[in-house]
């Protein structure tokens, strides 16, 4: 049941009209309604007539309509009759049976007025508990750009779900356990014997890992010691090992935290070790219900419906647990202990098979029911050369720092602006504003470049392209140059957003009343120009875009949307003056305000900031 707090989205309202029209014109026939935004001049298109014609034929009711076109005509007439809220301007039958839908200006006005008063609303939604498993780097190993990508995508997905009213567990499934930890703990004890009293100076944990591995490979005696350390120190093992393990995790955690705080991403660490105690009972249960089988001493699962030859191995023949064991226990814990309704895992596409097997096994075990399980795979992160990206420094923190650095340098180094400021065309920056703008631009550039390309596609990670997209030798990053305006980058979005703020500042200075004050006094918009209506329609599509993006878990859909709103705003602003001869056009000022609210909210959902001036 959808919650009643939010009104239906425009698409839902139109679909409801079509549903009523179908019942009124062809009672008793069942056919899926298909309404979608139109790409051919109309606002929306109802494409139900063709399948409906077939359904009538199949039901032996051909006599009711001679052709799909006749079906469409009957349906279109009923749509107008069923439109009790005045949503429709008109419906027109086109081609072999499409119904073109035009939304009424009065409806668009009331939507814009609602945005002004209540802000952009999420779609109506039945609140669920959702676990989003993302970022999830590995202790003592490199947090690579793939983890950065998972962090960015997972954060946006979480923001969207939270905005829709779901309860979201943002879980960082850190790789903090596995056979390698015996080796790491053993090495720590050897190299820093007084680790218990002094925090170990393992500044470069990856080097520490490499050193430990070398000793492990070369030294048989050490190998034995390391194996003895393997039981998960969260519950088992001696106190010293537990302490050593915690020290090692803490060093990694501090590094990860730096990345999260710079990117302003919130996550709760529930690492692999957390599930360790649940593995044996889960395996026992899986064995009892006949889902797990013994295979040469190992416990394996061949869930039905998967094409993979490789089984899940929940216990190795030496009795050890691995990645599969932990994920089986984790999926059990999330579904049955947390009682989550929806699980989302954000990792590289290389793990698709693993999750397909885990989900199929969970279904076979009867844990899933009608709950939703999603693996959100993403493509490779490639370097400029098109090959898998390698960080030279191998360190995500340094990577993130370089981004900020690049953005600041671009902004600080722009002499073009000084001339504009001196000429009184631009408001001057304070140092603080400059740094904040650099921060928003830098991170926005990276996040947007990642999200807009589509999650499943490989993506070329290039600071140069994202931050230094000059086009001309001395063009600054945020150039107010027209050439840059149509580009689909965060810079363009932030630029458009800042324009919206600056128009409002100017209008307030001219008339003495801010847009917010006008809204408070009950003022609303009256739209007539085509570009005003186009912009209003784009704003009215916010709810359905959030709905679609959240259902498909494809953040690029929201990127396309916010870019489209900016494009529509630019077209509006070229055609319609907000301030003319010292007089402010109130309605247009309010439309600008509504566009700002929508862009700000969309940016926030994408994890991108907003700047008031550029
Ligand atoms: N630590 C893993 C990696 O670096 C990602 C973990 C994803 N989550 C999970 N539940 N398996 O690839």
């Amino acid at each position: 049941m959808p919650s009643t707090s939010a009104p239906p989205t425009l698409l839902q309202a139109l679909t409801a009209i079509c549903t009523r029209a179908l019942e009124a014109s062809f009672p008793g026939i069942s056919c899926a309604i298909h309404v979608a935004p139109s790409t051919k001049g109309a606002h929306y298109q109802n494409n139900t007539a063709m399948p409906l014609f077939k359904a009538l034929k199949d039901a032996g009711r051909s006599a009711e309509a001679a052709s799909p076109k006749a079906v469409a005509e009957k349906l279109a007439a009923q749509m107008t009759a069923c439109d009790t809220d005045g949503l429709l301007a008109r419906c027109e039958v086109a081609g072999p049976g499409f119904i073109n839908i035009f939304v009424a200006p009065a409806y668009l006005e009331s939507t814009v007025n609602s945005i002004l008063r209540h802000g952009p609303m999420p779609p109506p939604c039945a609140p669920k508990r959702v676990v989003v498993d993302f970022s999830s780097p590995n202790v003592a190993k490199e947090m690579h750009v793939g983890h950065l990508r998972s962090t960015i995508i997972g954060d946006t997905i979480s923001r969207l779900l939270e905005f829709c009213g779901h309860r979201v567990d943002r879980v960082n499934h850190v790789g903090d356990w596995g056979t390698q930890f015996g080796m790491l703990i053993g090495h720590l004890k050897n190299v820093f014997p007084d680790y218990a009293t002094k925090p170990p100076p393992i500044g470069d944990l990856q080097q520490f890992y490499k050193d430990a591995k070398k000793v492990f490979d070369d030294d048989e005696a050490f190998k034995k010691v390391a194996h003895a350390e393997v039981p998960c120190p969260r519950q088992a093992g001696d106190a010293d090992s537990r302490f050593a393990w915690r020290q090692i995790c803490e060093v990694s955690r501090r590094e990860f935290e730096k990345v999260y705080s710079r990117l302003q991403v919130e996550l709760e660490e529930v690492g692999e070790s957390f599930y360790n105690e649940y593995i044996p009972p889960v395996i026992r249960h899986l064995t009892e219900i006949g889902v797990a089988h013994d295979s040469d001493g190992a416990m394996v699962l061949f869930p039905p419906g998967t094409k993979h030859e490789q089984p899940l191995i929940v216990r190795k023949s030496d009795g050890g647990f691995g990645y599969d064991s932990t994920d089986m226990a984790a999926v059990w814990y999330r579904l049955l202990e947390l009682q989550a309704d929806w699980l989302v895992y954000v990792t590289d596409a290389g793990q698709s098979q693993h999750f397909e097997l885990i989900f199929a096994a969970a279904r076979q075990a009867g844990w899933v029911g009608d709950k939703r399980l999603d693996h959100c795979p993403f493509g490779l992160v490639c370097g400029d050369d098109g090959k898998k990206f390698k960080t030279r420094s191998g360190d995500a923190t340094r990577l993130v720092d370089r981004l900020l650095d690049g953005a600041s340098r671009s902004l600080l180094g722009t002499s073009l602006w000084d001339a504009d400021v001196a000429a009184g065309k631009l408001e001057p920056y304070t140092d603080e504003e400059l740094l904040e703008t650099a921060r928003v631009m830098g991170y926005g550039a990276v996040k947007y470049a990642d999200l807009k390309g589509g999650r499943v596609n490989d993506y070329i990670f290039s600071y140069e392209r994202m931050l230094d997209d000059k086009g001309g030798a001395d063009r600054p990053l945020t150039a107010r140059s027209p050439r840059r305006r149509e580009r689909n980058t965060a810079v363009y979005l932030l630029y458009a957003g800042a324009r919206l703020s600056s128009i409002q500042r100017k209008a307030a200075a001219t008339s003495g009343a801010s847009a917010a004050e006008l809204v408070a006094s009950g003022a609303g918009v009256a739209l007539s120009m085509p570009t005003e209506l186009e912009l209003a329609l784009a704003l009215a599509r916010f709810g359905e875009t959030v709905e679609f993006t959240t259902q498909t878990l494809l953040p690029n859909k929201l990127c396309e949307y916010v870019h489209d709103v900016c494009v529509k705003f630019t077209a509006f602003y070229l055609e319609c003056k907000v301030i003319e001869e010292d007089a402010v056009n109130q309605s247009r000022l309010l439309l600008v305000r509504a566009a700002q609210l929508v862009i700000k909210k969309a940016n926030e959902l994408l994890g991108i900031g907003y700047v008031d001036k550029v």
Side-chain angles (χ1 to χ4, degrees), residues 1-19:
M1 276 294 292
S3 78
T4 47
S5 57
T9 66
L10 178 51
L11 184 60
Q12 286 168 342
L14 289 169
T15 306
I17 292 178
C18 296
T19 308

Side-chain angles (χ1 to χ4, degrees), residues 133-139 141-142 144 146-147 150 171-176 272 275 323 326-327 330-331 334 344-348 351 354-355 358 375:
D133 175 322
F134 69 105
S135 191
S136 308
N138 302 311
V139 166
K141 285 196 195 154
E142 179 198 348
H144 51 72
H147 294 122
S150 171
V171 172
N172 197 2
H173 190 84
V174 172
D176 64 354
E272 292 188 18
Y275 303 97
Y323 197 55
T326 307
D327 265 326
V331 79
R334 291 167 185 176
V344 180
Y345 295 76
V346 188
T347 78
D348 62 284
Q351 301 196 34
H354 168 75
F355 286 108
I358 294 282
H375 176 224

